[in-house]
Amino acid sequence: MKAVVLVGGEGTRLRPLTVTTPKPLLPIAGRPLVERQLVWLAAHGIDEVVLSLGYLPDAFVEHFPGDRFASMALTYAVEPEPLGTAGAVRFAAEHVGIDERFVVCNGDVLTTLDLGALVDFHVERGATATIHLSQVEDPSALGVVPTYPDGEVEAFIEKPAPGTAPTNWINAGTYVLEPDVLARIPPALATSIERETFPRLLEDRGCVYALGTGDYWLDVGTPEKYLEAHADVLAGRMGSPPVLDAREEAPGVWLQGDVDLAAEASLEAPVLIGDGVAVAAGARVAGSALGPGASVGPNAVVDHSVLLSGARLARGALVRASILGVGASVEEDAAVLDFSIVGAGACVPASTTLTGGRVPVAASAG
Ligand code: GTP
């Protein structure tokens, strides 16, 4: 079966990380999000994937040399302009000539959904479209999907005011579609599948169904969710080891390649320390992922954070619940706190504090 993976969005909520790297190519514990998704699709029998591209398309083409990933053939459908989630599906399907049942997924979803069970449910109901639902505590920022007892969708409600949602089952961004859906999407026009195409399909009864499951699911859209994805993957919620080539030095302490860890450094599980990382004496790394070549200076602290490759903390610096982009640096005694993001190559000056802030990508890195 073929799958269309939507990876053409700009990822604005994760800027400035996404200024230089499209969101699906950002690492989640050492492995790009889209690779984690492709592994999941392959495990469920998908043999051909169309990457639906728009923003920074060359980065994907360069990332997958040979246009293959494991057992799957990859095709690229590059939109001339953003077509929204439905327009992108039609464009991608036409690009490869999809004329049979297929799967669509948002490229920012991390899940252990049993895709086969979703397809079986779709076939049993004779559905035109079937949507995976996940249950969340607060659906007020999401699209909720109440259903009839047999799973037929009753309505789509976008961003219900707090306390008014009839259900907390939300559209989880994986769909099984019959090719007839494509004719319901206007060609070459920006259209949203969740806000326009699916609600219109409800005009005919018996077409749109949804299956709620308790599988692991996370939409990696914001800095908070990016850090949550790391915490979950490091805690083994997507399987163990968190990334294929990691070795477990002590319970929950994962190392890759050659690392330079001072005997007086403290590592508090779960942590992932990438190849070429250096952690100096007196430094503390807790609940964090350090990308290849990152360095943590003497008495510096990395707490529940992510350092992308080559990021650097000088002596006494602190990074808590934040993300440092590729080659970013935090100078002596500076602090980066509360879901801050420091762009690629940017520098946080010595003895300053950044709280919930964003530092743009350095001119040299953009
Ligand atoms: P934000 O800008 O932070 O909202 O992130 P985003 O660009 O990823 O948007 P959103 O989370 O709403 O998109 C859900 C999925 O659809 C993501 O995997 C996007 O890459 C993808 N997507 C959104 N818009 C388009 C589009 O116009 N074309 C294509 N091909 N994909 C899209």
Side-chain angles (χ1 to χ4, degrees), residues 52-361:
S52 163
L53 304 170
Y55 178 66
L56 300 179
D58 295 347
F60 291 90
V61 180
E62 281 161 22
H63 188 82
F64 295 109
D67 303 341
R68 290 201 75 79
F69 181 82
S71 58
M72 296 186 299
L74 296 182
T75 312
Y76 309 102
V78 184
E79 292 153 40
E81 59 198 331
L83 290 174
T85 45
V89 169
R90 177 165 177 161
F91 182 88
E94 283 176 352
H95 187 80
V96 293
I98 289 180
D99 56 5
E100 55 195 22
R101 181 176 304 135
F102 64 111
V103 168
V104 170
C105 40
N106 282 353
D108 49 4
V109 162
L110 203 53
T111 183
T112 57
L113 165 70
D114 179 350
L115 192 56
L118 190 71
V119 175
D120 290 348
F121 176 86
H122 172 89
V123 172
E124 280 159 20
R125 295 295 187 280
T128 305
T130 297
I131 300 164
H132 174 226
L133 305 182
S134 187
Q135 210 169 18
V136 296
E137 259 174 45
D138 174 15
S140 62
L142 300 161
V144 304
V145 185
T147 53
Y148 297 110
D150 67 346
E152 185 177 355
V153 171
E154 206 180 325
F156 291 94
I157 304 166
E158 272 298 311
K159 300 189 174 69
T164 67
T167 171
N168 59 356
W169 288 96
I170 54 107
N171 178 348
T174 300
Y175 317 121
V176 183
L177 303 180
E178 294 301 313
D180 329 355
V181 171
L182 298 170
R184 310 286 289 262
I185 301 171
L189 189 70
T191 312
S192 159
I193 201 160
E194 58 276 26
R195 286 191 295 275
E196 296 174 83
T197 309
F198 288 150
R200 259 185 238 137
L201 279 174
L202 287 191
E203 288 161 15
D204 300 329
R205 283 296 305 268
C207 283
V208 189
Y209 286 80
L211 178 67
T213 76
D215 299 295
Y216 175 80
W217 176 85
L218 191 72
D219 168 356
V220 188
T222 62
E224 290 83 345
K225 295 291 177 186
Y226 186 65
L227 292 172
E228 191 177 331
H230 278 82
D232 290 343
V233 171
L234 291 182
R237 294 195 64 188
M238 302 287 295
S240 188
V243 57
L244 273 184
D245 60 351
R247 58 186 189 279
E248 196 169 20
E249 190 79 354
V253 175
W254 299 94
L255 308 183
Q256 291 174 290
D258 290 330
V259 296
D260 176 11
L261 306 174
E264 303 81 6
S266 135
L267 300 182
E268 292 173 26
V271 289
L272 174 68
I273 309 291
D275 186 30
V277 164
V279 183
R284 185 168 80 89
V285 179
S288 297
L290 276 50
S295 66
V296 183
N299 301 324
V301 175
V302 183
D303 185 14
H304 292 88
S305 293
V306 174
L307 272 52
L308 298 191
S309 52
R312 193 175 65 80
L313 272 75
R315 176 184 295 275
L318 164 66
V319 176
R320 176 172 294 143
S322 294
I323 307 154
L324 300 189
V326 174
S329 60
V330 181
E331 297 303 329
E332 269 193 41
D333 298 323
V336 175
L337 311 170
D338 294 353
F339 309 111
S340 293
I341 302 181
V342 183
C347 170
V348 177
S351 304
T352 58
T353 299
L354 181 72
T355 306
R358 311 273 167 121
V359 182
V361 170

Side-chain angles (χ1 to χ4, degrees), residues 23 36 44-45 199 214 226:
K23 178 166 60 178
R36 292 190 178 273
H44 291 282
Y226 186 65

